[in-house]
Every structure is written in structure tokens, then in C-alpha cells.
Amino acid sequence: LGRHEDAISRYIGVLDAFTAIEDRHLAAQIHNSIGAIRMAQGKTDEAREWLDTALSIARDAGDDFRAAFILVNAGELHRMKNEPAQALACQQQALNVLELIRDDLNVAYALLSIADTYALLDDRDNALAVCVRAKATFTRIGDPSGEQACARRLDRLAAQWES
């Protein structure tokens, strides 16, 4: 809805509660969410601070699953800042964890993020291969919206290399 500051205000109110009860898992999630909002606003330096804190909290809590989600966002942030090598490093770490725990839905979404990074690198073969793998995963698990996201991504990639 574009009400970013209202969302952040609410998240910070909740963050205080989770901090008070020492729920590091949800505190990490709130930091991640605020980081994602700051990314959406284009406030990349603030986003990085929130995501770095989120990742630190998640890792200290031994929450690899949550750390994987944070790493996907960190990868997108690196891509926004035109840092594709760092983006791929974050995304690959996230993908490894998600594959290990067999979270196929989030594996597929992580693959879409990786495809975008390969596209930034102008690596057509890897971008297409990763996107096709994501689409196959979405098809296998029965997620039509994910399949549609892949189809749009494949169309966008094709257009990128046609020009």
C-alpha cells in the first residue's frame, strides 16, 4: 500500500516486545522485514544495517532457516547496489540451507533471485537454467503463481538478450 513508515513504526513497536521477552528468532524476522521495507524505499544503507543485524541475531540464535531468508534479501540488496558477486554469495548460502531443509517453495523463490543476479552479470545460460529449474520446482509442488512468476521472468530474460 506504500505506507512504509507506518509499517516500520508498527514493526518497531513489536520489536520492543520481542526484545523484552528475548525472542531472538522473531526479533531477527522483524529486523529482516524492516530491511526489506527500506530496500523497497531505495534506502539501501539503512536496509543493509537492518539486514546485517537480522543476520547476526539469527545466526547467534542458531536459526539457519531464518538466516536463509535474510540472506535472500541481502542478495537482493547487493544486486540493487550492483554488487553481483556478493549477491550470488548470499543467495547461494541461502539456497544451500533451503535445499538442506527441503523447503522446495523457498528454494524456487531463491532460484528466481539467483536468476536475476545472473541476468545482471549478463550470464544468459545460467540465468535461463536457474529460472527453468525454479519453474520445474513450482510445477512439481503445484504452485501456479510461482510458475507464472517464472514465465514472466523467462519472458523478461528473453527480451533482455533480444535487444
Side-chain angles (χ1 to χ4, degrees):
L1 298 174
R3 296 171 36 202
H4 297 117
E5 295 307 321
D6 184 43
I8 287 176
S9 175
R10 292 175 187 268
Y11 274 130
I12 289 174
V14 174
L15 179 60
D16 291 341
F18 291 137
T19 301
I21 63 170
E22 298 181 8
D23 188 327
R24 295 181 300 164
H25 305 280
L26 292 177
Q29 182 59 45
I30 296 299
H31 279 83
N32 183 47
S33 296
I34 293 172
I37 292 169
R38 290 301 189 212
M39 281 188 342
Q41 293 177 301
K43 297 180 178 181
T44 56
D45 290 338
E46 283 185 60
R48 176 170 277 160
E49 290 175 23
W50 285 100
L51 294 176
D52 287 348
T53 300
L55 188 57
S56 177
I57 293 168
R59 285 181 169 160
D60 287 348
D63 191 343
D64 293 336
F65 177 71
R66 200 164 320 269
F69 283 105
I70 297 163
L71 284 165
V72 170
N73 280 341
E76 291 180 13
L77 177 63
H78 283 296
R79 193 174 58 246
M80 285 176 66
K81 294 182 71 135
N82 199 28
E83 301 168 344
Q86 295 94 322
L88 279 176
C90 289
Q91 293 162 332
Q92 192 59 54
Q93 287 178 55
L95 182 63
N96 291 343
V97 170
L98 294 167
E99 287 176 332
L100 184 66
I101 62 175
R102 296 184 176 168
D103 183 343
D104 291 340
L105 177 65
N106 287 305
V107 162
Y109 279 109
L111 288 168
L112 283 180
S113 186
I114 291 169
D116 286 340
T117 303
Y118 280 128
L120 178 63
L121 289 165
D122 205 29
D123 184 341
R124 178 184 180 144
D125 292 341
N126 279 319
L128 293 174
V130 168
C131 201
V132 166
R133 181 176 164 211
K135 188 173 187 302
T137 302
F138 283 125
T139 300
R140 182 174 46 77
I141 64 176
D143 185 333
S145 65
E147 289 179 78
Q148 291 168 359
C150 284
R152 287 189 302 274
R153 189 76 36 87
L154 286 166
D155 288 345
R156 194 172 72 228
L157 292 172
Q160 176 179 334
W161 285 297
E162 283 178 7
S163 43

